[in-house]
Amino acid sequence: MGADQTIDWRNAAASALDWWHEAGVDTLVDDAPRDWFAAPEPLVVPAVAPAAPAVAPSAMPHLLADFLNWRSGAEVPEADWSGVSLSAVGPADATVMVLVDCPDRDDGDAGALLSGASGRLLDKMLAAIGLTRDEVHLAAVCAKRPTAGRIQSEVEERLAEIAKHHIGLVAPKQLLLLGNAASRAILGTELQAARGRLHGFNHKTGETSVVASFHPRFLIEKPAAKAEAWKDLQMLIRGQTQEGVR
């Protein structure tokens, strides 16, 4: 290269930068120079702290009166929900237990489960098989009414555990499940699949005969289903008769 062929390094560098810019490179690799031929530094993997063990829910009380107090306390899934917590009602040694999904919309103001039209229809259903509300143990899978009246999937399993424990404490001879949510909680089956046959529910003191049927609020909306509900009640009656023979 001759003496008169000097290189303008500034223009050459600017030209190279322009070329890289047009190629899409717009960020420096590092602020400081890097030796690309140096051996890579060993990879250091940060230590991962062990996950905290899940906190198991405390044991549920084994006396019905204590359980009913616990049921409206701070350890149940509904504890932080808005609304009124409604306790189960009826004899502790009832032969028949009725389990529904949750309080109706107006039950909170009334302070009792099935206080309105659904309750009046339930009273007629019970009368048809020779029972009154005072003779049965009436409870709900949810002690409070959930948003939109439907049980959220994330609490279904825990609520089912609680309801099953409740049934074991009452140990009724017959259990009438009213509605899809009650059927899923106790039988693990949708109502349509559960209807039409007797089921058995085992607990510490024996076995309870279970019949699944429509919730009274559904029967109010779909009166044509009352004939099917009557078949379910007759099955419950047959269960009572069979228990009497044993």
Side-chain angles (χ1 to χ4, degrees):
M1 181 180 293
D4 57 342
Q5 293 179 323
T6 57
I7 299 176
D8 187 344
W9 293 107
R10 290 185 179 180
N11 289 336
S15 177
L17 290 174
D18 288 340
W19 188 89
W20 285 113
H21 181 74
E22 292 296 331
V25 179
D26 56 5
T27 304
L28 292 174
V29 175
D30 264 328
D31 291 333
R34 174 182 296 187
D35 183 357
W36 294 97
F37 297 99
E41 295 181 2
L43 180 64
V44 178
V45 179
V48 179
V55 178
S58 61
M60 290 178 274
H62 292 282
L63 294 176
L64 182 61
D66 295 337
F67 170 82
L68 294 179
N69 288 330
W70 174 90
R71 188 68 186 82
S72 60
E75 297 183 51
V76 298
E78 313 98 312
D80 296 329
W81 299 3
S82 60
V84 179
S85 181
L86 296 178
S87 179
V89 293
D93 58 350
T95 300
V96 177
M97 180 173 178
V98 178
L99 185 71
V100 298
D101 52 357
C102 63
D104 281 343
R105 192 178 303 277
D106 298 328
D107 287 350
D109 293 335
L113 290 169
L114 297 183
S115 60
S118 294
R120 290 190 290 274
L121 181 52
L122 173 65
D123 292 339
K124 292 179 180 178
M125 293 167 67
L126 293 174
I129 56 175
L131 294 171
T132 67
R133 189 186 293 223
D134 291 339
E135 294 176 284
V136 303
H137 191 88
L138 174 61
V141 176
C142 274
K144 293 182 181 179
R145 182 175 175 82
T147 304
R150 294 185 178 183
I151 300 174
Q152 298 94 329
S153 58
E154 60 268 22
V155 297
E156 274 189 329
E157 183 177 353
R158 179 57 177 162
L159 287 172
E161 291 175 358
I162 294 171
K164 290 175 181 178
H165 184 76
H166 190 169
I167 296 166
L169 296 181
V170 178
K173 297 298 183 183
Q174 282 80 36
L175 171 65
L176 179 61
L177 304 175
L178 297 179
N180 199 42
S183 177
R184 284 202 310 271
I186 306 307
L187 301 177
T189 307
E190 299 294 325
L191 177 61
Q192 289 297 345
R195 285 193 59 252
R197 57 194 174 97
L198 277 173
H199 301 265
F201 177 79
N202 294 310
H203 45 80
K204 291 182 178 179
T205 58
E207 183 180 66
T208 292
S209 298
V210 183
V211 171
S213 188
F214 302 107
H215 193 289
R217 78 169 73 93
F218 176 84
L219 297 176
I220 292 172
E221 296 175 358
K222 307 287 184 182
K226 289 182 179 179
E228 294 299 313
W230 171 237
K231 293 179 182 178
D232 298 332
L233 293 176
Q234 288 178 310
M235 192 179 307
L236 191 72
I237 294 172
R238 288 196 295 272
Q240 289 177 295
T241 304
Q242 292 169 4
E243 285 292 340
V245 173
R246 292 178 187 176

